[in-house]
Amino acid sequence: MKKNQISILGSGLIGSLLSIYLKRRGLDVSIYEKRADNRKGPYREEGRSINMALSDRGWRALEKAGLTEKVKPLTIPMYGRMVHDEHGKTNFLPYGKDNQAIYSISRGKFNQLLVDEAETAGVKVNFESKIEDVDLKNFQIELTSLQSGEKETIASEVIIGSDGAYSSLRNAMLKQMRFDYRQKYISHGYKELSIPATAAGEFAMDPNALHIWPRGNFMLIALPNPDKSFTCTLFLPFEGDRVCFENINDERDVVGVFKTYFDDAYELMPNLTQEFFANPTSSLINIECFPWMLKSALLIGDACHAMVPFYGQGMNCGFEDCFILDEIIEKYGTNAWELVFAKFQKVRKPNTDAICQLAMENFEEMKSDVADPKFILRKKIEAKLHQLYPKEWIPLYTMVTFSRMPYAEAYYQGKLQQKIMDRVMADPLITQNWDKLDYEDIINQMDKARAV
Amino acid sequence: MKKNQISILGSGLIGSLLSIYLKRRGLDVSIYEKRADNRKGPYREEGRSINMALSDRGWRALEKAGLTEKVKPLTIPMYGRMVHDEHGKTNFLPYGKDNQAIYSISRGKFNQLLVDEAETAGVKVNFESKIEDVDLKNFQIELTSLQSGEKETIASEVIIGSDGAYSSLRNAMLKQMRFDYRQKYISHGYKELSIPATAAGEFAMDPNALHIWPRGNFMLIALPNPDKSFTCTLFLPFEGDRVCFENINDERDVVGVFKTYFDDAYELMPNLTQEFFANPTSSLINIECFPWMLKSALLIGDACHAMVPFYGQGMNCGFEDCFILDEIIEKYGTNAWELVFAKFQKVRKPNTDAICQLAMENFEEMKSDVADPKFILRKKIEAKLHQLYPKEWIPLYTMVTFSRMPYAEAYYQGKLQQKIMDRVMADPLITQNWDKLDYEDIINQMDKARAV
C-alpha cells in the first residue's frame, strides 16, 4: 500500500492551487483526478462550462502563489454589464469605478496552467484515478486506475476533498453521524452556446463587458475569450413557463425563441441550433454542509459550498478558501491538522453561507432587475454615494467583488444599505429629484443603522 | 439474473406492512433486508430503540391489513403524560378525552409479527441481504448475501425503498440530477435505559401513562412494556451544556446526574450505570427530500421523511404512507406505477413536511413546557373548548394523534389556534379568570381566522 502525507481529491482549479500552496510548505502532496490529462490531445470542455470571472479575491490568492503574471494573458477585463434590450439596444452599467473590472477566463486553459504549475512545484498529479471510496476510519482512499483497471489503496495522513459539488469525500462524510447536509437545485438549467469571431477575425461585440440579455424569468449572457469568440450561457426554467427547456424540441423552437427574445445575439450565432442540441442542459445546485472536516480530512471549495453562478464568486470563493487555509497553516504549522481544519471551518462557514445566499439573490438582479430603469437609477445613486463617501458607502457588489471584506460582513452591510435605499427609492419623484438628494443624510442614516 | 415484479428494500415496520398490502393485490413481492432474521435465536434490540406509540393513523393502516386483533396484545394504552418534577411529585396530563390513548409497543416484537404476517401472505423475505447499490438506469439491485458472501443482481419492475433514514435507494437517487435533499441532526442525542419490573413482578410505576421528567433543556421518558418493565430514553445535548453526554464519563457522573435530576426514577433503575455505558448514544436526524420517485422506484417512510421522535408519529406516518399509497393503487391499478407514485408524492409531501416540523417543535413542549403551570392551564382551556365545541375547536395534539385529518391541515389549524390562545394567555389575570372566559367569543375568533 502506498502512503502519502497529503492526498488531494480533484485536480480542478481549487485542488491545483491548494496543492501549490501545500507543496511550498515542504509537504508531500499528491492529487487524484478521475479525468484524463486534458493537456494532451485536443482539449474538450464538454460544452457545459460557464466562463469564469476572476475578481479581487481570486487575484489575491493567485498573487500569493506568484501566478498573477502567468494568468493575466488568459484573461479579458470586463468593466461592466452590457445590457441588451429586445430591440438590440444596449446600455452599459459599470461594475465599479473606471479602472475596476472582473476578468473573463475559460476554465479549461486556466486549469491546464494551474496543473502545469503544480507539477513544476513538485506535486504528483495522478489522472484517470477514479475514487471508489474514502475510508474515514483507516484514512485510506480506494481508487481504480481507469487505464489499467487496477484497484489501489492509498493511506494518507491528510485527505483534502476539492472534488466539487459531487465530492467523494463528502459522500463518505455524509454517512457519518451528525453531518448536516443540504443540496438544492434551482428551477432553472443552463446551456453553453457561442458567438464566434467575425469573418474579419474580430470580436463580434464589445469584448470589455459581460453581455446580458435579461428577459424577466430567463436570460442569455456572453463572456469574451482571448480567441475573440464569446462563450454564451442560456438560463431557462426546465419546465412550467412558456419559454423553458421542455418546450424547445426542434430547430424551429430554438430559432423562434432566439429571434423573438435575443435577435441581435441570434444574428451572431451561426452554430446556434447545432450547439443547442449537441450541448447538454445542465442543472444548478446549491450545497451547504457542516462540519467540513473529520479528523485530518477536509472539504474545500464546491465540495462543501457549491453555489449558483450568479455572483461570479464560486471560483473566487474557492481560491479565498485556499488563501485563508494557508494563513491558518502558517500560524499553527503542519503538525496540527485537526486544529487547523477546525479553525478554518469556523472562520469560513459564515462567509460561504453569505455568498451562497447572495449568489441565489443575484439571479433576480441579472435576469430581471438590470432592465428596470428604477434599478439602474438606484445603482447610479449608490455609485454617487460611493464617490462622495468612498469609505462610508461601498456598494454591495463592490464589497463582494473588489474588496477582501469577509462575505458575511458584506452581506450584513448590504442588508442595511438595502433598507435605506428602499426608503430613498420610495419617493415617487425620485426620478426627477435624484441629483438633489441629501446624500449626507443618507450616510447619517447608514451610520445610525450600523450603530444599532 | 433473478427477476422480481416488486422488490422492497428493508423489512422494518413500514416495509413489512406495505408488502402485505401489495401481496394482497396479487403482486409478486420480495423483501431484501441486511439484518439477520431476529425471530430465530434470542432477540437483540441493540439498546438503541425508543418505544413506539401507536395512535389512530397507525391503527387505521393495521385495520386495513386485518391486523388489529393480533397487534393489540402487544400494546399498553397510555392515556396521558405523567409529569415527574424534581421532588418526585407527579402530575397527570391527559392526551385527550377519557377513552383516548396512544399505545406503547416495542419495535422488536411488533416487527417480528409483521414479518410473520408478510410471509404468511406469501411475501418472500430475504434476510442477510446487503444492498450494495441500486442501479436506477437498468432497474437492478446489487446485493451481497452476508451468509455466503456471494453477490447477486436482481432486476425489478418496481423498487420500493422502505429502508429508513440511511436508505440505499435514496443514496442512489441522491446522485440523480435535480434531487433535493436535506439531512439535519439536532443538538441532542439519546440513550436507551430501563426500569425493570419490581421484585414482586409488578410495574414499578403507573403503566397507563407516558412518563416524562422534563428538565428544561433535557429530559427522561419511560414507556411501559407487557413484561412490566419500562423502556426509558434519556435525551441530552451532546455537548455545550453542563448536563450533556460529553460531560458524563464515569459511574459517578451518571449517578450524579440521576440523583440530582431524576431521583425518583433513579431509585427504580438498578442497572442504570451498566446500561448507560453498554448502550450507544444515538443521534437524531430530520430528513426531507424531493422527488420521492424515479420512474417506478419509490421512497416511503423514514427513507424520504425521517423525523425526530417527539410527536410519536414516525411509525404512524409511515403506516399512513402505506395506507394512502394503497388507496391510490386501488384507484389507478397495478399497471401504472409512475402515475401512482407521482400522485402519491404529490398528495403526501405537504403532510410529511408538516409532521416533520411539528415533531421538531414538540421537543420544546416535552422537555420544558409540560412543567410550566401556564402551559398546563393553556391545555386545560383548550380541553374545555373542545368539550364545549367538539367540532369547532380540536386541540392540535388531538388532530394529529386521534384523527386522520391530513397533517398539513392540522398544522394550519394549530397555527391559527396558537395565535388565538397566545392572546387569551396574555391576560395577566388568566390564572384566576380562566373558568369565566367567554368561550363563545374564542370560537368566533377562530371562525374569523379560518375565513381569512
Side-chain angles (χ1 to χ4, degrees):
Chain A
M1 195 195 306
K2 207 170 141 188
K3 276 206 168 203
N4 284 337
Q5 195 175 4
I6 298 188
S7 298
I8 294 180
L9 312 186
S11 72
L13 299 169
I14 312 304
S16 346
L17 180 63
L18 182 61
S19 74
I20 296 170
Y21 280 154
L22 295 176
K23 189 69 209 172
R24 290 189 180 188
R25 294 207 171 274
L27 299 162
D28 156 29
V29 185
S30 298
I31 300 183
Y32 297 91
E33 167 63 50
K34 188 169 85 179
R35 276 178 274 195
D37 185 352
N38 65 27
R39 293 169 302 177
K40 296 161 190 161
Y43 180 65
R44 275 187 38 67
E45 288 230 22
E46 300 171 31
R48 60 193 308 157
S49 185
I50 302 173
N51 261 32
M52 310 275 127
L54 255 173
S55 56
D56 274 36
R57 293 169 205 266
W59 284 116
R60 176 172 66 159
L62 293 170
E63 179 71 53
K64 196 180 190 189
L67 295 173
T68 312
E69 292 312 313
K70 287 188 178 156
V71 175
K72 251 190 193 155
L74 302 181
T75 67
I76 296 176
M78 302 181 289
Y79 295 94
R81 294 163 173 162
M82 187 70 80
V83 179
H84 297 241
D85 76 10
E86 300 197 11
H87 310 291
K89 246 190 71 187
T90 57
N91 185 22
F92 181 75
L93 306 176
Y95 278 129
K97 295 179 179 169
D98 281 354
N99 60 340
Q100 288 179 320
I102 60 177
Y103 292 80
S104 176
I105 185 165
S106 103
R107 181 195 289 271
K109 302 227 170 76
F110 192 12
N111 209 152
Q112 290 175 345
L113 170 72
L114 290 179
V115 171
D116 278 343
E117 291 295 321
E119 285 186 340
T120 305
V123 174
K124 175 93 187 72
V125 187
N126 304 276
F127 289 98
E128 298 179 72
S129 299
K130 186 180 172 228
I131 307 296
E132 300 291 349
D133 196 19
V134 181
D135 174 352
L136 288 168
K137 224 184 224 165
N138 304 305
F139 261 67
Q140 290 175 357
I141 300 161
E142 282 149 37
L143 54 82
T144 305
S145 159
L146 296 182
Q147 282 191 313
S148 68
E150 269 169 44
K151 286 186 191 292
E152 199 179 355
T153 300
I154 292 158
S156 303
E157 190 188 328
V158 174
I159 302 173
I160 300 182
S162 54
D163 46 350
Y166 301 92
S167 167
S168 309
L169 177 58
R170 196 190 61 230
N171 275 344
M173 287 189 179
L174 196 59
K175 292 166 199 156
Q176 301 292 316
M177 197 158 128
R178 301 185 71 202
F179 182 77
D180 288 341
Y181 177 70
R182 178 169 181 257
Q183 69 179 43
K184 172 106 192 121
Y185 286 88
I186 65 167
S187 53
H188 288 61
Y190 72 91
K191 193 179 282 285
E192 183 186 320
L193 301 167
S194 75
I195 292 178
T198 61
E202 285 309 314
F203 281 108
M205 304 181 297
D206 180 349
N208 294 119
L210 188 154
H211 294 261
I212 311 188
W213 292 257
R215 296 296 180 262
N217 199 31
F218 59 98
M219 68 172 176
L220 176 70
I221 64 171
L223 282 82
N225 296 311
D227 70 0
K228 312 218 163 159
S229 68
F230 286 84
T231 298
C232 305
T233 315
L234 175 68
F235 295 92
L236 298 185
F238 278 101
E239 68 262 306
D241 278 12
R242 207 161 57 85
V243 178
C244 66
F245 282 116
E246 201 186 55
N247 290 347
I248 303 182
N249 297 302
D250 55 29
E251 293 198 6
R252 230 185 57 184
D253 295 339
V254 180
V255 173
V257 166
F258 272 74
K259 280 195 137 178
T260 310
Y261 297 103
F262 311 119
D263 198 34
D264 60 330
Y266 175 70
E267 297 297 328
L268 309 173
M269 302 173 87
N271 310 318
L272 172 63
T273 55
Q274 184 269 325
E275 284 177 345
F276 192 96
F277 294 106
N279 290 343
T281 304
S282 305
S283 55
L284 294 162
I285 195 170
N286 184 79
I287 286 173
E288 289 163 42
C289 66
F290 203 79
W292 293 354
M293 62 176 289
L294 183 89
K295 292 180 268 181
S296 59
L298 178 74
L299 299 169
I300 196 165
D302 279 5
C304 51
H305 53 67
M307 64 193 79
V308 292
F310 307 113
Y311 225 112
Q313 285 293 312
M315 171 186 68
N316 291 289
C317 176
F319 281 173
E320 195 174 58
D321 283 357
C322 300
F323 182 91
I324 291 190
L325 179 60
D326 195 56
E327 277 190 329
I328 297 173
I329 294 172
E330 184 152 338
K331 195 162 168 191
Y332 295 96
T334 52
N335 286 309
W337 293 105
E338 283 201 51
L339 175 68
V340 164
F341 293 169
K343 296 268 173 196
F344 174 69
Q345 68 176 1
K346 192 173 173 200
V347 71
R348 200 66 187 137
K349 170 78 168 146
N351 293 317
T352 60
D353 282 351
I355 189 62
C356 281
Q357 182 59 30
L358 285 171
M360 208 67 101
E361 292 172 10
N362 218 44
F363 190 24
E364 206 47 42
E365 183 168 321
M366 286 186 81
K367 71 183 163 60
S368 167
D369 297 347
V370 290
D372 175 1
K374 276 257 180 157
F375 172 85
I376 295 166
L377 177 59
R378 190 179 180 128
K379 287 275 160 179
K380 222 166 173 175
I381 295 171
E382 285 203 64
K384 176 103 181 242
L385 276 164
H386 184 42
Q387 188 195 334
L388 294 171
Y389 302 91
K391 285 186 182 159
E392 291 81 358
W393 192 287
I394 309 173
L396 176 59
Y397 189 88
T398 298
M399 291 189 281
V400 169
T401 311
F402 304 124
S403 93
R404 287 96 190 252
M405 178 189 296
Y407 288 122
E409 175 67 17
Y411 185 85
Y412 170 71
Q413 299 288 343
K415 290 293 161 197
L416 298 182
Q417 291 173 345
Q418 191 178 25
K419 266 188 210 157
I420 292 168
M421 285 305 298
D422 283 349
R423 237 178 288 152
V424 170
M425 299 303 294
D427 173 2
L429 296 178
I430 186 69
T431 311
Q432 293 93 302
N433 298 340
W434 75 274
D435 54 353
K436 286 165 243 149
L437 276 173
D438 183 348
Y439 284 96
E440 198 182 335
D441 176 59
I442 297 177
I443 295 298
N444 287 338
Q445 285 181 41
M446 188 66 190
D447 282 347
K448 261 186 235 159
R450 276 201 197 97
V452 175
Chain B
M1 195 195 308
K2 208 171 139 185
K3 276 209 167 201
N4 283 337
Q5 193 175 10
I6 298 190
S7 298
I8 294 181
L9 312 185
S11 72
L13 299 169
I14 312 306
S16 348
L17 180 63
L18 182 62
S19 75
I20 296 169
Y21 280 153
L22 294 176
K23 189 71 210 172
R24 290 189 180 184
R25 295 210 170 270
L27 300 162
D28 157 28
V29 185
S30 298
I31 300 184
Y32 297 91
E33 167 64 51
K34 188 169 84 177
R35 276 179 274 198
D37 187 352
N38 65 27
R39 294 168 302 177
K40 298 163 190 160
Y43 181 65
R44 276 186 37 66
E45 287 230 21
E46 301 171 31
R48 59 192 309 155
S49 187
I50 303 172
N51 261 33
M52 310 275 127
L54 254 173
S55 56
D56 276 36
R57 294 169 204 264
W59 283 117
R60 175 172 68 158
L62 292 170
E63 179 71 52
K64 194 178 192 191
L67 295 172
T68 312
E69 292 313 312
K70 288 189 178 156
V71 174
K72 252 192 192 154
L74 302 181
T75 68
I76 296 178
M78 303 180 289
Y79 295 94
R81 293 163 173 163
M82 187 70 80
V83 180
H84 296 242
D85 77 10
E86 301 197 9
H87 310 291
K89 249 190 69 188
T90 57
N91 185 23
F92 181 75
L93 306 177
Y95 278 129
K97 294 180 180 169
D98 281 355
N99 61 339
Q100 288 179 321
I102 60 177
Y103 293 79
S104 177
I105 186 165
S106 103
R107 181 195 288 270
K109 302 226 169 78
F110 191 13
N111 210 152
Q112 290 175 347
L113 169 73
L114 290 179
V115 170
D116 278 343
E117 291 295 323
E119 284 186 341
T120 306
V123 174
K124 175 91 187 70
V125 187
N126 305 277
F127 289 99
E128 299 180 72
S129 300
K130 187 181 172 228
I131 307 295
E132 301 291 349
D133 196 21
V134 181
D135 173 352
L136 288 167
K137 221 182 224 167
N138 304 305
F139 261 66
Q140 290 175 358
I141 300 162
E142 282 149 36
L143 54 82
T144 305
S145 160
L146 296 181
Q147 283 190 312
S148 67
E150 271 169 42
K151 288 188 189 292
E152 200 179 351
T153 300
I154 292 158
S156 304
E157 189 189 329
V158 173
I159 302 173
I160 299 182
S162 56
D163 47 350
Y166 301 92
S167 167
S168 308
L169 176 58
R170 195 190 62 229
N171 275 344
M173 286 188 181
L174 196 58
K175 292 166 200 155
Q176 301 291 318
M177 196 158 129
R178 300 185 71 202
F179 182 77
D180 287 340
Y181 177 70
R182 179 171 180 256
Q183 68 179 45
K184 172 104 193 127
Y185 286 89
I186 66 167
S187 53
H188 287 61
Y190 73 91
K191 193 180 281 285
E192 183 186 321
L193 301 166
S194 76
I195 293 178
T198 62
E202 285 308 316
F203 280 110
M205 305 181 298
D206 179 349
N208 295 119
L210 187 153
H211 294 260
I212 311 187
W213 292 257
R215 295 296 179 262
N217 199 30
F218 59 98
M219 69 171 175
L220 177 71
I221 64 171
L223 282 82
N225 296 312
D227 70 359
K228 311 219 165 157
S229 67
F230 285 85
T231 298
C232 303
T233 315
L234 175 69
F235 295 92
L236 298 184
F238 277 102
E239 69 262 306
D241 278 12
R242 207 161 57 82
V243 179
C244 66
F245 281 115
E246 199 186 56
N247 290 347
I248 304 183
N249 297 303
D250 55 29
E251 293 197 4
R252 232 186 57 186
D253 295 339
V254 179
V255 173
V257 166
F258 272 76
K259 282 194 135 179
T260 309
Y261 297 103
F262 312 118
D263 199 35
D264 59 330
Y266 175 70
E267 297 298 327
L268 310 174
M269 303 174 87
N271 310 318
L272 173 63
T273 55
Q274 184 269 324
E275 285 176 346
F276 192 96
F277 294 107
N279 289 342
T281 305
S282 304
S283 55
L284 294 161
I285 196 170
N286 184 80
I287 287 174
E288 290 161 43
C289 65
F290 203 80
W292 292 355
M293 63 176 287
L294 183 88
K295 292 180 266 181
S296 60
L298 177 75
L299 299 169
I300 195 165
D302 279 6
C304 51
H305 53 68
M307 65 192 77
V308 292
F310 307 112
Y311 226 111
Q313 286 292 312
M315 171 186 68
N316 291 290
C317 175
F319 281 173
E320 194 174 58
D321 283 356
C322 300
F323 182 92
I324 290 190
L325 180 60
D326 196 55
E327 276 191 328
I328 296 172
I329 294 172
E330 184 153 338
K331 192 161 168 191
Y332 296 97
T334 52
N335 285 310
W337 293 106
E338 282 200 50
L339 175 69
V340 164
F341 293 168
K343 295 267 174 197
F344 174 70
Q345 68 175 3
K346 190 172 176 201
V347 71
R348 199 66 186 137
K349 170 76 169 147
N351 293 315
T352 61
D353 281 351
I355 189 60
C356 281
Q357 181 59 29
L358 285 171
M360 207 66 101
E361 292 172 11
N362 217 45
F363 190 24
E364 206 49 40
E365 181 165 323
M366 288 186 80
K367 69 184 165 60
S368 167
D369 298 347
V370 291
D372 175 0
K374 277 260 180 150
F375 172 84
I376 295 167
L377 177 58
R378 188 178 181 129
K379 289 272 158 181
K380 222 166 170 176
I381 295 171
E382 286 202 62
K384 177 102 179 245
L385 276 164
H386 185 39
Q387 188 196 333
L388 293 171
Y389 302 92
K391 286 187 181 159
E392 289 81 357
W393 192 287
I394 309 172
L396 176 58
Y397 189 88
T398 299
M399 291 189 282
V400 169
T401 311
F402 304 124
S403 93
R404 287 96 190 252
M405 179 189 295
Y407 288 123
E409 175 68 16
Y411 185 86
Y412 170 71
Q413 299 289 340
K415 290 292 160 198
L416 297 182
Q417 292 172 346
Q418 191 178 26
K419 268 188 208 157
I420 291 167
M421 286 305 297
D422 283 350
R423 237 178 285 153
V424 170
M425 299 303 293
D427 174 0
L429 297 177
I430 187 70
T431 311
Q432 294 93 300
N433 297 342
W434 76 273
D435 54 353
K436 288 167 243 149
L437 275 174
D438 183 348
Y439 283 98
E440 197 182 333
D441 177 57
I442 297 176
I443 296 298
N444 287 339
Q445 285 180 43
M446 188 67 190
D447 283 346
K448 258 184 235 158
R450 275 201 197 95
V452 173

